[in-house]
Amino acid sequence: MRQNLKFFALFLLVAMGAASRCAQAANLTVNCDRHESLHKALRLLATSNPQGPNKITVLGDCKGNFVIQSMDRLTLITNKGASITDRSNGNLAVLDIEDSHSVTVQGFTINGGAQGILCSTASVCYLTGNTIQGPGHFGVNVLRGSRAFLESNVIQNWGRGAFIDRSAEVFSSNDVFQGNGGSAIVVLNRSYFESLNSSLDNNGLGIEAGGSGVFLGGGTISGNSSDGIRVLAASEAIFSGPTITANGGVGVQVLDGSFAAFLAASITGNLSGLDVDCEPQFPMTRFVDRTGGITNCVEPASKSQLKDLK
């Protein structure tokens, strides 16, 4: 009898633990057309169960700027094409994801903001099937060691479609970047951009990489008013199947000690008269004498002086 009681007590403890874990997962619905608050739903989950998993299904046309801070395994999804529109007059991101892992945003129309979606501070973001449209600075802004996985999005009418900076990584599949007045993609400061069958067409510039890596597997870069790709500032670009054509400048420009490998690519018909433009550049420095070290750098005499920062 005592053995049976012990077994029952153990079973009850296990069942209670399982029920507790199940109770933590939340599945909420917010209908902005009925004046329900996405802010309140996010705040509730951030307080009650920041580790997730949680899902918020959104309906209607929402207005606001939303911060997702230190939340994991969160899904924002709409099955009926809900929208989220900036209310900051272009000063804030519409969705600002910080220090959060496995945050999914699926199916929305995101309108305006300084950024449509900001993924920062070592976050991991999954953006699927969204239309992210300006005006504003950046459609998708990925910073500070964050990683973003983009699939089947349309990113359009921004100053820059995606801005990737400070050791961030973006993986794009079957996305459309169009109508972005500056560049479709900017990759800076030891960051990485990978594209598989995405199209970067009809922007100001296709891709601009500085001190970073780019991999292009298929897809198109065409009809941009300036160059297709600029590989500069000790960057590396690997081409494995893209078509780069009909850009207003050159197809690919390689300079500033950068490296480009053309494993497979069709790069023809760009309008400057050159399709692949290699411009050898020597290392360039300014004010190297201020380091106090030994150098073989040779600089021209300059009448200008670097002003000390105060």
Side-chain angles (χ1 to χ4, degrees), residues 23-193:
Q24 290 177 356
N27 190 347
L28 306 179
T29 298
V30 172
N31 189 335
C32 292
D33 289 345
R34 295 180 179 176
H35 306 291
E36 296 173 358
S37 174
L38 183 55
H39 275 297
K40 289 182 180 179
L42 288 169
R43 189 163 59 245
L44 172 65
L45 295 179
T47 302
S48 62
N49 185 31
Q51 300 305 310
N54 297 305
K55 182 169 78 170
I56 303 176
T57 301
V58 181
L59 305 172
D61 298 321
C62 307
K63 294 179 174 61
N65 302 84
F66 303 92
V67 178
I68 297 169
Q69 175 77 45
S70 302
M71 297 180 68
D72 299 340
R73 297 186 295 169
L74 171 67
T75 297
L76 297 179
I77 189 169
T78 175
N79 298 320
K80 297 184 179 180
S83 67
I84 308 177
T85 300
D86 172 55
R87 293 188 67 177
S88 72
N89 295 318
N91 294 310
L92 301 173
V94 173
L95 290 178
D96 182 354
I97 303 167
E98 304 282 346
D99 184 33
S100 299
H101 305 106
S102 193
V103 175
T104 297
V105 180
Q106 182 173 330
F108 290 89
T109 297
I110 308 291
N111 297 308
Q115 303 100 339
I117 298 178
L118 172 60
C119 180
S120 185
T121 322
S123 294
V124 180
C125 306
Y126 297 87
L127 312 179
T128 303
N130 303 287
T131 296
I132 305 170
Q133 56 193 14
H137 297 304
F138 313 128
V140 176
N141 194 187
V142 186
L143 302 173
R144 301 175 63 192
S146 297
R147 307 179 81 194
F149 298 84
L150 281 60
E151 171 69 40
S152 301
N153 302 280
V154 176
I155 301 171
Q156 60 189 8
N157 303 331
W158 297 91
R160 294 179 171 107
F163 193 88
I164 309 157
D165 194 12
R166 286 175 280 172
S167 302
E169 298 179 339
V170 169
F171 302 85
S172 170
S173 300
N174 303 303
D175 295 301
V176 174
F177 294 83
Q178 63 187 13
N180 300 292
S183 302
I185 308 291
V186 178
V187 199
L188 298 176
N189 298 319
R190 299 304 168 199
S191 297
Y192 178 73
F193 174 70

Side-chain angles (χ1 to χ4, degrees), residues 225-285:
S225 60
S226 184
D227 299 329
I229 303 177
R230 292 177 187 164
V231 189
L232 62 153
S235 294
E236 177 183 274
I238 308 297
F239 299 81
S240 183
T243 297
I244 303 172
T245 187
N247 296 288
V250 299
V252 178
Q253 185 181 58
V254 187
L255 67 164
D256 293 342
S258 295
F259 172 75
F262 301 94
L263 305 181
S266 174
I267 307 175
T268 61
N270 294 283
L271 304 182
S272 74
L274 275 179
D275 291 306
V276 179
D277 179 17
C278 291
E279 297 192 5
Q281 297 284 347
F282 294 104
M284 294 177 288
T285 65

Side-chain angles (χ1 to χ4, degrees), residues 1-10:
M1 184 69 175
R2 184 173 297 175
Q3 184 79 11
N4 290 338
L5 287 173
K6 287 182 178 179
F7 177 81
F8 177 75
L10 178 61

